Amino acid sequence: MRKELIAICCALGLVACDKHDPILPGTRSAIFNTLSLDVKNQTISDIPESAHIVDNTNCPYTQDSKNIIWDGERRIFSGFPTNNTVKNDMHPVCSGGFIYAGLTTGELVKVNPKNRQIAWIADIYRPSNLTGGASMVDIIVPPVPFKGAVYAGGLGDAFCKVSASNGNKVWCTEISVAYPFVIAGNYAFVVATDNNLYAIKTSDGTIMWRTEVSKQAAPIYDSGVITVGREKINATDGKIIL
């Protein structure tokens, strides 16, 4: 299991566990600056009419449960397979000639499909989860490329905004995500596994408000109203619309 491998590596001093991933290449750094969520309970004034739509219809690539990305029968990326995963129908997302894909090992990867080169790999999980926290760090929700950044969330207590150019962290919040989220104007509306809908400011990761929902589902945004399952929530303040 991945976390067992990491624990062994740390114990033997073979890798610097806070900077390097023992499975995939690249330098690693801690993504969290705080230990708890800071919800501002503030209203949103600049509410947009519609959400950003990710058109992935012309993205021909597929991804299997072993973290392999395919172009037909041509393998263009091979990740590390894990047995402890959540069943889901994973699909890479295409943007700007590149592929963005979330892995069951908790990373977001950017790949050039033409030459099969890895542009970067970003960790989307709280590091402590690998050594005794969450049993799974899968990214089962499609990432959302938008205005020079990529938004991604996984089951390892992380929803993050990373730079599309180099994969560096812009910010991360300590929530786990199992359903697709929406980006609307300057905000991300995310239903987390703690049964809360979060309104997150995309510029700096500020949590404007959160509202408990009765059921986890992908949020739908329309003209300042967010629908989660059968509930409708006012995007301005997070109040349930009766």
Side-chain angles (χ1 to χ4, degrees):
M1 189 181 297
R2 178 188 174 89
K3 63 182 181 181
E4 293 174 346
L5 288 174
I6 293 175
I8 292 172
C9 289
C10 289
L12 296 179
L14 296 179
V15 295
C17 291
D18 60 333
K19 294 184 179 180
H20 298 282
D21 188 295
I23 305 301
L24 297 173
T27 301
R28 299 291 189 263
S29 60
I31 59 175
F32 294 107
N33 298 320
T34 61
L35 297 176
S36 61
L37 292 175
D38 181 15
V39 182
K40 299 300 184 182
N41 293 317
Q42 297 178 352
T43 59
I44 297 174
S45 58
D46 51 338
I47 291 294
E49 284 297 313
S50 59
H52 170 61
I53 298 176
V54 178
D55 186 0
N56 210 38
T57 55
N58 294 322
C59 189
Y61 309 102
T62 59
Q63 182 177 354
D64 64 25
S65 60
K66 296 181 180 179
N67 289 322
I68 300 175
I69 299 174
W70 301 88
D71 181 3
E73 296 182 354
R74 175 173 173 257
R75 182 182 304 199
I76 59 177
F77 173 82
S78 295
F80 183 75
T82 57
N83 294 324
N84 193 19
T85 61
V86 175
K87 289 185 178 181
N88 67 94
D89 188 15
M90 297 182 294
H91 289 282
V93 173
C94 297
S95 180
F98 290 89
I99 298 170
Y100 298 93
L103 308 180
T104 62
T105 45
E107 294 91 3
L108 175 68
V109 60
K110 178 181 180 179
V111 180
N112 185 333
K114 294 182 179 180
N115 58 18
R116 298 186 291 182
Q117 293 296 309
I118 301 172
W120 48 254
I121 297 173
D123 297 332
I124 311 295
Y125 51 75
R126 182 189 287 276
S128 61
N129 282 335
L130 298 181
T131 56
S135 60
M136 289 172 287
V137 292
D138 307 41
I139 300 177
I140 59 178
V141 175
V144 177
F146 184 57
K147 292 185 176 180
V150 185
Y151 299 84
L155 299 180
D157 298 335
F159 178 77
C160 302
K161 175 183 180 179
V162 301
S163 168
S165 61
N166 56 25
N168 288 343
K169 178 204 77 171
V170 180
W171 50 257
C172 285
T173 58
E174 304 93 325
I175 60 176
S176 292
V177 183
Y179 284 88
F181 53 89
V182 295
I183 306 292
N186 299 318
Y187 302 91
F189 296 99
V190 184
V191 174
T193 58
D194 64 359
N195 282 17
N196 280 298
L197 169 67
Y198 290 85
I200 304 172
K201 195 172 183 179
T202 57
S203 60
D204 57 11
T206 298
I207 301 176
M208 301 297 289
W209 52 255
R210 70 179 169 190
T211 297
E212 186 176 1
V213 292
S214 59
K215 181 180 179 180
Q216 291 182 45
I220 299 171
Y221 183 93
D222 183 28
S223 302
V225 176
I226 307 163
T227 303
V228 180
R230 296 183 178 180
E231 293 177 298
K232 294 187 180 299
I233 299 105
N234 190 325
T236 300
D237 55 14
K239 303 296 184 182
I240 302 293
I241 298 173
L242 302 176

